[in-house]
């Protein structure tokens, strides 16, 4: 008993020493009356704030947060941040879904006060005080206000008549020793508010269930909720499966009562107030006895369809409260409430004594979310750090205790793993954190919330910070670490601690200098030097233990083209995440059609950096395939083929803050081709058909340098490329750009602009025509660098040689990238291609169609291509200067496969097609492209984009 008393006295002494040394904070006591209008989704309210100036400074103004104005239009910090994080739902939302606060009329001590707009943010105003507020003095701030609630885009608002009323009232910004902390509302980055008391009266239709911060004061409402609780216990989930489809109860609107009610909530020592109202809520209630002997009330409110998952929610809340009370400090309030979020999003958001959350439908997921969000009562609610400045002190500390909770209550079970889970790490966040280290895309733990990338906010502020807490625990020992945390809690509860405050407590209690440990908060990368990895063979793929092994993966590989037919072989590679600097892939395949060994191979070395450039890559690509087939005079199959070896160097520049990627690459294509030669007729044949009897070998080269800019943002993404090519006897300049204009209701307009200039070098090269740009979309022969995939590279309806049967659907494939992209193939009419010995220019447009045109979503678009070329502008030219093609486009597999149906085109094309009745059929004019080369990892796996 004496030891316990001495320990308590020591902690009390230390706590007061930490809390009182040069520390002060303002106090704000609120009284608010508010009425909900659930027809126009608005609030009418009046608030009174007793503002205590506990600072040593005389104040002449107070910054006020009017955060509902974050939803006013698309020119707010909230809107800008969503766009930066690739969300366009708010930007394109209808006016009826936006929100705002107005009808403000500030008075200070009953004297009218004026406000000034913040120079940058619509959701902040400066309240000018009629008289200076001296240190130690108090003023009363009063105002009426009206809030138009937005659709719930972020934490608060409404979804139909389900209301999440958060950040809804005018509140003073924090003023502390570093000055004012006025800040706009944002989605990534939480809150920093003054502590005080709240007395809130809410008026709304009588049949709403209301959950709110603090203790309910209205006895009649308490009785009604008890009845709801009894009804919930007798609720049978099977009732939701009746023929009347009452399972839709979660979305069917229940009429509001004509009668209204007013209920009251009070709470002291908090810095925010949130409330939630829904007519559908089921209710569960219980009490919990804490070690001190205090009894607190527990509440769970959830939608009826979630009954099976939420039936154990109260016991989950109990375990969370008891564990944190033991590890950190006893829960100081008398109520804890957990609310099921009507919004279809995972995770949750915490407020003092109450949290809004949703899970993926399993009890395990619900327990994890409840534990995390209830834990925020300590790290956010009671220890009110500035989450914009040090988000890790909230999220990281809380995540550390999540892991202790899981180890205690839900240890990892050695369950049988399926094919995928065997190859994937158990902790995805730690895995992707290692990926961020590898790419040098991580950020220091001490980064402010607005400077974190969206991905790093989760990986660093949560995961890495929790690992840092575990590191601190390991350095101090569990007993000392827990003593540090309890002392920190007692010293700084209901206050605003900083990193330095936490460090001072940790060093004082442990008696150690922790300078080096805390210095890690400001460093990037892993703390320990990576261990040497062993090579390990894996089937298909494996990224499970990439901290230990460099995997070499082996899996089946298949391919197909018209000449080699099916190709079967193996894919051998060491690609993976985080991956090695040295990477290779090889896909040797046996071709059934040509009885040859084909495939692709790549070897590269990448150096990552984080100062002058992002990464530097050097390597070589190689490939070999058949490109045509025929019969010789004896009836034996003979195949044209090619190989290419392409050494390359790429330099990726540092990304700017807008997520724009740019890079410079140099490639030298060394191409070898075996082409048909020695044509002859069959002996004794009267046919005029000539057959190739041998192959002629040739080689050529193209040097290419490209500068690329790419922005994969969701709103108005674009990419540009400037390219120079040079080979024997020619040069060529290519410039292309794509820009996507989003439509408000989905889809958009894609604009591609292309231009190319061509010229000869030295003596005229008879093969230089191969490299001339043209307006019509390219065929396989035009792909002179062999950079695209073609079913039949030389397939064409123009050549009807029986020995070379090379027509069919493959003759309708096109390539857009290296030409004007007009979507027709007119191989048989050489004069229609738009080949130029000087220059070509084109614009390609495609637009999605309004979704309401069809009963279900169709990948249907309209396209229009317009182009011109040098020769059409000559004085002696008899052709039109501009040609066009337009029609329907079907885009599949994320635009990898596109089918084009031309419906209108220039007269010149019409006239020539009329001369060939067969090729003038619509089915023969349809073309398609297969753009595998456009697939990028960042599009397939957005989680690797930091």
């Amino acid at each position: 008993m004496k030891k316990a008393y001495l320990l308590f006295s020591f902690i009390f002494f230390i706590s007061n020493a930490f809390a009182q040394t040069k520390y002060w904070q303002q106090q704000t006591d609120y009284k608010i009356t508010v009425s909900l209008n659930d027809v126009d989704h608005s609030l009418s309210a009046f608030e009174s704030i007793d503002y205590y100036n506990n600072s040593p400074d005389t104040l002449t103004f107070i910054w006020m947060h009017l955060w509902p104005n974050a939803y006013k239009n698309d020119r707010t910090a909230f809107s800008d941040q969503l766009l930066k994080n690739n969300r366009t739902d708010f930007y394109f939302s209808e006016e009826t879904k936006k929100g705002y606060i107005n009808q403000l009329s500030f008075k200070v001590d009953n004297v009218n006060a004026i406000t000034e707009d913040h120079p940058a943010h619509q959701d902040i105003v400066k309240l000018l005080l009629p008289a200076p507020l001296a240190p130690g003095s108090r003023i009363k701030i009063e105002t009426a206000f009206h809030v138009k609630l937005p659709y719930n885009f972020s934490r608060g608002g409404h979804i139909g008549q389900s209301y999440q009323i958060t950040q809804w009232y005018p509140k003073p910004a924090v003023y502390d020793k570093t000055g004012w902390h006025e800040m706009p509302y944002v989605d990534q980055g939480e809150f920093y508010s003054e502590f005080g008391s709240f007395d809130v009266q809410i008026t709304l239709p009588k049949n709403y269930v209301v959950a709110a911060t603090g203790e309910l004061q209205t006895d009649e409402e308490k009785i009604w909720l008890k009845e709801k609780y009894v009804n919930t216990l007798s609720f049978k989930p099977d009732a939701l499966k009746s023929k009347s489809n009452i399972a839709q109860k979660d979305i069917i609107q229940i009429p509001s009562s004509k009668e209204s009610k007013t209920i009251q909530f009070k709470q002291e020592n908090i810095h925010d107030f949130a409330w939630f109202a829904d007519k559908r809520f089921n209710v569960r209630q219980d009490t919990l006895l804490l070690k001190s002997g205090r009894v607190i009330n527990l509440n769970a409110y959830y939608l009826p369809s979630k009954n099976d998952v939420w039936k154990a929610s109260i016991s989950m809340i109990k375990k969370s409260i008891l564990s944190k009370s033991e590890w950190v400090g006893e829960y100081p309030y008398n109520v804890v409430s957990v609310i099921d979020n009507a919004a279809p999003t995972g995770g949750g958001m915490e407020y003092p004594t109450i949290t809004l959350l949703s899970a993926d439908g399993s009890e395990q997921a619900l327990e994890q979310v409840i534990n995390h969000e209830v834990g925020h009562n300590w790290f956010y609610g009671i220890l009110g750090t500035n989450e914009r400045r040090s988000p890790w002190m909230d999220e990281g500390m809380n995540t550390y205790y999540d892991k202790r909770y899981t180890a205690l209550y839900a240890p990892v079970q050695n369950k049988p793993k399926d094919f995928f889970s065997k190859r994937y790490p158990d902790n995805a966040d730690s895995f992707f954190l290692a990926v961020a280290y590898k790419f040098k895309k991580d950020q220091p733990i001490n980064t402010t919330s607005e400077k974190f990338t969206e991905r790093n906010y989760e990986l660093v502020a949560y995961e890495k910070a929790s690992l840092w807490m575990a590191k601190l625990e390991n350095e101090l020992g569990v007993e000392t670490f827990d003593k540090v945390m309890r002392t920190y809690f007692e010293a700084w509860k209901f206050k605003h601690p900083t990193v330095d405050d936490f460090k001072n407590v940790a060093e004082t209690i442990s008696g150690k200098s922790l300078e080096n440990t805390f210095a890690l908060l400001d460093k990037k990368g892993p703390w320990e030097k990576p261990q040497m990895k062993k090579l390990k063979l894996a089937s298909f793929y494996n990224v499970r233990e990439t901290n230990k092994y460099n995997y070499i993966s082996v899996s089946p590989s298949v391919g197909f083209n018209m000449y080699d037919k099916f190709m079967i072989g193996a894919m051998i590679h060491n690609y993976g995440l985080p991956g090695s600097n040295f990477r290779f892939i090889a896909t040797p395949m046996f071709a059934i059609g040509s009885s040859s060994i084909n495939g692709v191979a790549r070897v590269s070395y990448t150096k990552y950096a984080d100062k002058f450039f992002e990464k530097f890559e050097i390597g070589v690509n190689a490939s070999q395939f058949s490109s045509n087939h025929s019969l010789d005079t004896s009836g034996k199959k003979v195949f044209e083929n090619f190989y290419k070896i392409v050494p390359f160097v790429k330099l990726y520049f540092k990304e700017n803050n807008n997520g724009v990627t740019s890079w410079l690459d140099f490639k030298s294509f060394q191409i070898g081709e075996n082409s048909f030669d020695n044509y002859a007729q069959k002996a004794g044949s009267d046919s005029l058909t000539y057959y190739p009897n041998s192959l002629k070998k040739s080689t050529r080269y193209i040097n290419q340098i490209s500068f690329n800019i790419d922005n994969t943002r969701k709103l108005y993404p674009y990419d540009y490329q400037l390219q120079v090519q040079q080979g024997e006897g020619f040069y060529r300049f290519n410039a292309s750009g794509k820009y996507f204009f989003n439509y408000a209701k989905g889809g958009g307009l894609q604009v591609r602009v292309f231009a190319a200039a061509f010229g000869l070098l030295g003596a005229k090269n008879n093969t230089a025509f191969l490299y001339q740009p043209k307006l019509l979309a390219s065929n396989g022969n035009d792909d002179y660098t062999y950079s695209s995939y073609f079913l039949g590279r030389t397939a064409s309806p123009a050549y009807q040689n029986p020995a070379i049967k090379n027509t069919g659907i493959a003759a309708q494939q096109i390539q857009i990238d290296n030409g004007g992209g007009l979507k027709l193939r007119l191989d048989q009419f050489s004069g229609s291609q738009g080949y130029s010995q000087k220059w070509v220019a084109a614009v390609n447009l495609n637009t999605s169609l309004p979704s309401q045109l069809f009963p279900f979503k169709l990948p249907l678009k309209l396209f229009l291509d317009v182009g011109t070329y040098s020769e059409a502008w000559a004085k002696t030219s008899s052709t039109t200067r501009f040609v066009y093609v337009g029609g329907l486009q079907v885009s599949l597999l994320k635009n990898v496969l596109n089918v084009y149906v031309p419906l209108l085109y220039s007269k010149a094309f019409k006239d020539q097609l009329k001369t060939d009745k067969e090729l003038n059929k619509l089915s023969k004019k349809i073309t398609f492209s297969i753009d595998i080369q456009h697939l990028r990892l960042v599009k397939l796996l957005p989680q690797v984009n930091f």
Side-chain angles (χ1 to χ4, degrees), residues 776 824-834 869 879 883 905-921 925:
L776 290 191
L824 275 178
R825 276 194 71 166
L826 299 175
D827 300 18
Q828 65 275 36
F829 307 113
S830 59
S832 296
Q833 307 300 307
Y869 59 111
T879 62
V883 289
Y905 33 84
S906 294
K907 184 176 182 299
F909 300 150
K910 288 182 181 178
D911 291 343
Q912 290 183 312
L913 281 167
K914 286 177 182 177
T915 66
D916 191 322
K917 185 176 180 180
E918 179 65 22
L919 293 175
N920 198 28
K921 293 178 179 178
K925 290 182 285 188

Side-chain angles (χ1 to χ4, degrees), residues 441-715:
K441 292 291 189 73
D442 65 308
Q443 295 169 275
I445 294 173
N446 247 343
T447 301
T448 59
S449 62
E450 69 273 11
K451 290 184 178 179
F452 269 124
T453 64
E454 182 183 26
R455 196 72 179 98
N456 277 338
Y457 189 77
E458 177 183 349
L459 291 179
V460 178
Y462 286 71
E463 178 64 18
K464 189 175 183 180
S466 75
L467 297 175
W468 183 88
M469 289 287 289
K471 183 178 179 64
L472 181 64
E473 177 212 277
N474 185 62
E475 184 172 348
L476 300 181
V478 175
E479 184 178 350
T480 301
F481 176 86
D482 285 347
K483 188 183 296 184
V484 166
M485 295 307 295
R486 293 189 196 106
T487 305
Y488 172 60
F489 176 79
E490 287 299 325
W492 289 100
K493 63 182 179 182
F494 314 132
K495 296 180 176 67
H496 298 306
T498 65
V499 177
D500 287 340
D501 297 322
F502 179 52
K503 179 172 178 284
N504 289 339
V505 173
E507 290 187 328
T508 300
I509 296 302
S510 68
K512 290 183 176 182
S513 171
L514 299 173
E515 198 68 37
N516 291 338
T517 304
F518 276 79
L520 297 176
L521 296 171
D522 296 305
K523 293 183 178 180
K524 293 179 60 174
W527 298 315
E528 310 294 339
K529 186 177 180 180
Q531 61 181 348
M532 291 292 293
K533 298 181 183 181
K534 298 178 181 179
L535 290 178
K536 188 172 185 179
L537 200 64
S539 60
F540 291 93
Y541 75 96
N542 199 321
V543 292
R544 184 165 183 81
E545 295 181 285
T546 52
N547 60 323
K548 295 181 181 179
Y549 302 110
N550 283 320
Y551 290 101
I552 297 177
S553 300
V554 181
S555 62
S557 177
V558 296
F560 177 83
N561 64 48
M562 285 186 62
Y563 321 116
D564 294 309
K565 302 302 181 182
F566 279 101
M567 294 172 279
I568 303 172
M571 179 187 296
I572 307 164
H573 68 90
N574 71 339
Y575 276 74
L577 294 173
S580 170
N581 286 11
F582 172 77
R583 294 183 295 180
F584 66 87
I585 182 170
T587 62
M589 297 180 291
F590 176 77
I592 295 173
S594 62
S595 298
S596 60
I597 301 297
N598 294 327
V600 298
R602 188 179 196 270
V603 177
S604 67
Y605 180 83
T606 304
K607 173 68 176 176
Y608 295 94
D610 58 2
K611 290 185 178 180
F612 305 111
F613 59 91
E614 183 178 315
K615 64 179 178 178
F616 173 81
E617 187 177 13
I618 185 169
V620 60
N621 295 321
S623 61
Q624 175 173 296
F625 293 98
S626 297
S627 55
N628 204 345
H629 64 175
S630 182
L631 299 173
D632 63 15
T633 53
S634 66
K636 181 182 176 182
K637 286 184 180 180
V638 58
F639 295 85
E640 288 187 324
N641 57 61
F642 75 92
Y643 70 85
K644 68 172 182 178
I645 300 172
V646 188
F648 66 87
V649 175
K650 289 186 178 182
L651 178 64
Y652 289 80
F653 301 104
K654 287 292 293 179
E655 283 191 13
N656 63 23
N657 291 331
N658 296 321
V660 177
T661 303
S662 59
W663 68 97
L664 191 67
D665 69 71
F666 171 78
K667 296 178 181 178
S668 182
F669 296 87
Q670 307 296 318
I671 298 171
E673 293 160 317
N674 289 314
S675 305
F676 293 148
D677 194 28
N678 192 21
Y679 285 85
Q681 293 176 287
K682 284 186 178 180
S685 173
D686 294 332
S687 171
L688 297 179
T689 301
Y690 284 81
Y691 297 82
N693 281 317
S694 62
L695 296 172
K696 180 182 179 181
K697 295 182 179 180
S698 63
T699 59
R700 56 189 175 90
Y701 72 91
I702 302 106
N703 295 322
Q704 174 182 292
I705 187 167
S706 305
F707 175 69
N708 308 266
I709 296 177
D710 193 4
N711 192 330
T712 57
R713 64 191 182 188
K714 195 166 185 179
L715 181 67

Side-chain angles (χ1 to χ4, degrees), residues 24-199:
W24 51 265
Q25 68 185 43
Q26 311 291 64
Q27 181 177 331
T28 52
D29 294 337
Y30 292 83
K31 288 187 177 181
I32 306 176
T33 58
V34 57
S35 296
L36 169 67
N37 183 328
D38 67 351
V39 176
D40 64 7
H41 310 300
S42 67
L43 306 175
S44 296
F46 183 89
E47 79 172 357
S48 171
I49 308 171
D50 288 335
Y51 186 93
Y52 295 80
N53 181 16
N54 298 322
S55 78
D57 306 317
T58 297
L59 305 181
T60 59
F61 66 87
I62 295 174
W63 285 111
M64 300 291 293
H65 290 150
L66 307 178
W67 281 345
N69 276 346
Y71 304 93
K72 190 174 183 180
N73 51 49
D74 59 14
R75 299 183 300 279
T76 64
F78 167 71
S79 178
D80 291 344
Q81 187 188 74
L82 289 191
L83 290 178
K84 183 178 179 182
N85 289 342
N86 282 327
R87 274 185 58 186
T88 59
D89 51 339
F90 175 75
Y91 184 84
F92 285 125
S93 64
E94 300 171 357
E95 283 301 311
T96 56
K97 288 190 173 183
K98 291 185 167 63
Y100 52 80
I101 184 170
N102 62 6
Q103 299 180 20
L104 295 153
S105 54
F106 284 104
K107 288 187 177 182
V108 177
D109 289 338
N110 212 31
V111 177
N112 290 334
I114 62 174
T115 60
E116 292 180 355
D117 293 337
H118 190 277
H121 302 296
Q122 300 178 52
D123 52 351
I124 307 171
V125 295
K126 180 186 285 186
L127 177 64
L128 303 179
L129 302 180
L133 179 60
S137 299
R138 180 191 70 174
I139 55 173
K140 184 179 290 294
I141 303 170
E142 297 174 299
T143 185
F145 62 97
H146 172 266
V147 176
K148 166 64 173 63
L149 293 168
Y151 176 81
N152 190 331
F153 294 102
S154 169
R155 303 189 180 104
H158 76 97
I159 299 173
Q161 289 187 329
S162 180
Y163 295 93
Q164 302 82 39
I165 314 299
T166 65
Q167 310 306 333
W168 54 285
Y169 55 91
K171 66 167 77 173
V174 171
Y175 182 71
D176 61 22
K177 64 182 180 181
T178 62
W180 285 104
H181 295 272
E182 76 279 13
M183 56 185 69
Y185 179 88
V186 289
D187 187 68
Q188 177 182 299
E190 295 176 4
F191 312 116
Y192 188 40
S193 302
E194 301 286 14
F195 280 91
S197 64
F198 282 81
D199 181 345

Side-chain angles (χ1 to χ4, degrees), residues 212-215 267 270 288 290-292 294-298 317-318 320-337 351-355 373-379 381-382 489-490 493-494:
T213 293
E215 297 183 62
Q267 187 60 58
I270 56 174
L288 176 64
L290 300 179
K291 268 192 174 182
S292 66
R294 283 196 310 114
V295 176
I296 65 173
N297 296 308
L298 310 180
I317 299 171
K318 287 181 178 180
S320 181
I321 291 290
L322 290 174
S323 60
K324 256 69 76 181
S325 292
E326 174 69 22
W327 293 329
V328 185
E330 185 172 279
Y331 184 75
Y333 306 121
N334 293 328
V335 63
V336 179
S337 298
Y351 304 91
T353 78
I354 194 168
T355 183
E373 300 304 334
V374 169
H376 276 305
N377 278 286
W378 281 262
F379 303 104
I382 303 164
F489 176 79
E490 287 299 325
K493 63 182 179 182
F494 314 132

